[in-house]
Amino acid sequence: MSEADYQAPSEPADPADVGRTDPLVQLSLQQLRQRASMKWRAHPADVLPLWVAEMDVPLAPAIADALHRAVTLGDTGYPYGTAYAEAFASFAARRWQWNGLRVENTAVVPDVMMGIVEILRLITSPGDAVVVCSPVYPPFYAFVSHDGRHIIEAGLGPDLRIHLGALEDAFVRARRHGRRAAFLMSNPHNPTGVVHTRTELEAVAALALSHGVRVVSDEIHAPLALRGAHFTPFLSVPGSEDGFTVTSASKAWNLAGLKAAVAIAGTGAAKDLRRMPEEVGHGPSHLGVLAHTVAFLDATDWLDELLVGLDANRSLLGKLIEEHLPDVRYTPPQSTYLAWLDCTRLGLHDDNPTSGPGIVSDLAGPARMFFDEARVAVSSGHVFGTGGAACVRLNFATTPAILRQALTRMGRAIKRSDAPGRT
């Protein structure tokens, strides 16, 4: 299939898109093809990329202005100060009514995953266990195992939410022989888009406290709670005092290429965070710190427009799946711009793929078929760990036109295939 099969206009081509002003309708396919980032360069030009977590949006004007100003001034030196943490604290207070964040209990780190690794080094040792709720963000497996800790999975429940019984069992196994342990939580959960409720987080905190497990919460998708959901910061619930959060503006404002994140310690964990090596703070980019700070302070109107667009795309995706992929089960995410599609009934998956979790570029099962036959790149479910082999993760933070074309291609590929096991 060639790129000529698809034309993405700069203006909405479908009546349903008329009147939309959000960032998701502002760029054409031709403009997006000029990008040099991973999403748009990792695959051939005839592939529509709906995989890695980059959004097809222009930069928020307030962020672009701040970066232009810094470049004009030659302000490209080393980062300094606590403005980033202060901006996030202000955002958290306004957005989630979380007023307990203490700037003195924060540290700027290179990015969320590196911040997580550095925190795990403070509270665990090589050979200790880190619990994750699978299926979950693949780098959890790769980064943790590469640093000498081993993963224990606590599978999500059938409703794709945290299963407290499975989590407690994993905590018991993790603490066996008296070793230290941590729970690395995705909040909101990637890839399912579930927003953990306050009640669920309180239960997690109580379980962790009773079993002596330290919680590290990845809250990079926190600003992306969609209509009908409310995000709760883990460190805002009782019992979380010895936990940590790591977050950034990366996902919500599309700033993955501008490295900077904030690590936050609960009041009982501040002394641990102070042991973080000084050189870790040398990793963030000064321009990254500037961009993320402006995002939390001055680009919230842009974020609100984005959330309206993501909500519209979430609904559109549901309609397109019903039309083109009726055998695929789709639970609309409460947050993020990532959809977890259960393709079990297509009969394309291997319950024991040759590669394990963690390598985001690996393709198998339905993701391999969609890539080869539909020329649509989605993330392969098996890299998200146990429970993911029959699924794919689809990034719907793109133009409605691209989303329509991708789902149309995927539906045609299914019709063409003689996949065994379909019902």
Side-chain angles (χ1 to χ4, degrees):
M1 185 175 296
S2 70
E3 192 171 332
D5 293 328
Y6 170 65
Q7 295 295 321
S10 56
E11 297 297 326
D14 191 285
D17 302 329
V18 173
R20 281 182 62 171
T21 59
D22 61 88
L24 291 164
V25 295
Q26 295 177 20
L27 298 175
S28 69
L29 178 63
Q30 290 74 22
Q31 290 170 307
L32 292 166
R33 289 285 186 209
Q34 296 176 42
R35 292 186 168 182
S37 63
M38 179 186 291
K39 180 178 183 182
W40 287 96
R41 292 301 174 98
H43 302 304
D46 65 324
V47 173
L48 293 177
L50 303 182
W51 63 299
V52 72
E54 295 181 25
M55 294 191 289
D56 296 339
V57 295
L59 198 59
I63 299 173
D65 289 345
L67 293 173
H68 284 304
R69 186 166 56 252
V71 171
T72 298
L73 291 171
D75 184 11
T76 53
Y78 297 107
Y80 176 77
T82 58
Y84 187 175
E86 292 167 12
F88 178 73
S90 174
F91 178 86
R94 298 191 315 271
R95 209 79 172 184
W96 309 311
Q97 295 73 55
W98 180 27
N99 296 300
L101 194 160
R102 298 183 182 178
V103 171
E104 63 269 25
N105 292 347
T106 67
V108 179
V109 293
D111 59 29
V112 167
M113 277 312 306
M114 292 308 301
I116 286 169
V117 168
E118 293 296 340
I119 288 172
L120 290 175
R121 287 173 176 170
L122 298 174
I123 60 175
T124 64
S125 301
D128 289 341
V130 175
V131 175
V132 302
C133 288
S134 61
V136 73
Y137 182 51
F140 280 14
Y141 294 91
F143 280 69
V144 169
S145 59
H146 291 167
D147 205 46
R149 279 71 175 163
H150 70 274
I151 292 283
I152 292 180
E153 294 181 319
L156 298 174
D159 57 358
L160 302 180
R161 307 193 74 90
I162 291 176
H163 188 293
L164 293 174
L167 188 62
E168 182 165 29
D169 177 69
F171 284 177
V172 170
R173 286 184 285 136
R175 291 282 287 143
R176 193 165 292 155
H177 309 303
R179 300 210 64 142
R180 296 191 294 177
F183 171 39
L184 179 50
M185 177 169 60
S186 183
N187 179 35
H189 194 85
N190 175 5
T192 62
V194 163
V195 175
H196 307 311
T197 66
R198 177 169 290 275
T199 299
E200 287 171 325
L201 293 175
E202 288 174 349
V204 167
L207 269 183
L209 199 60
S210 66
H211 289 279
V213 174
R214 306 291 293 275
V215 179
V216 182
S217 185
D218 173 354
E219 299 186 358
I220 197 170
H221 289 281
L224 291 169
L226 300 175
R227 183 172 56 87
H230 177 75
F231 172 76
T232 300
F234 175 69
L235 292 180
S236 71
V237 305
S240 66
E241 291 79 10
D242 70 348
F244 300 85
T245 287
V246 191
T247 191
S248 79
S250 174
K251 299 305 179 190
W253 284 271
N254 212 40
L255 301 176
L258 293 166
K259 294 287 191 179
V262 176
I264 308 162
T267 54
K271 62 183 182 300
D272 292 311
L273 191 61
R274 294 188 191 107
R275 293 190 288 109
M276 185 174 286
E278 178 187 352
E279 59 268 21
V280 175
H282 298 171
S285 157
H286 177 47
L287 293 180
V289 170
L290 291 176
H292 290 242
T293 300
V294 169
F296 286 123
L297 282 181
D298 301 323
T300 54
D301 289 346
W302 184 92
L303 173 65
D304 291 336
E305 286 279 333
L306 171 70
L307 293 174
V308 171
L310 289 176
D311 184 54
N313 275 12
R314 175 177 61 168
S315 297
L316 173 61
L317 178 61
K319 294 173 184 176
L320 292 171
I321 290 172
E322 185 177 349
E323 178 182 357
H324 298 289
L325 301 173
D327 287 338
V328 170
R329 287 177 288 183
Y330 164 62
T331 301
Q334 298 175 306
S335 182
T336 78
Y337 43 80
L338 305 168
W340 189 237
L341 309 184
D342 186 341
C343 303
T344 301
R345 285 185 283 182
L346 300 181
L348 296 167
H349 64 285
D350 180 353
D351 289 323
N352 297 291
T354 55
S355 60
I359 308 302
V360 296
S361 59
D362 278 2
L363 289 178
R368 169 54 65 186
M369 190 280 294
F370 289 134
F371 185 85
D372 290 342
E373 303 298 329
R375 306 307 283 164
V376 175
V378 292
S379 298
S380 189
H382 79 285
V383 303
F384 294 82
T386 301
C391 301
V392 301
R393 191 191 73 175
L394 182 148
N395 175 353
F396 59 87
T398 189
T399 69
I402 290 176
L403 200 58
R404 290 188 185 94
Q405 180 65 17
L407 270 291
T408 300
R409 290 186 184 187
M410 293 164 74
R412 289 173 180 165
I414 290 296
K415 288 178 181 177
R416 289 195 302 265
S417 87
D418 294 321
R422 289 187 64 211
T423 58

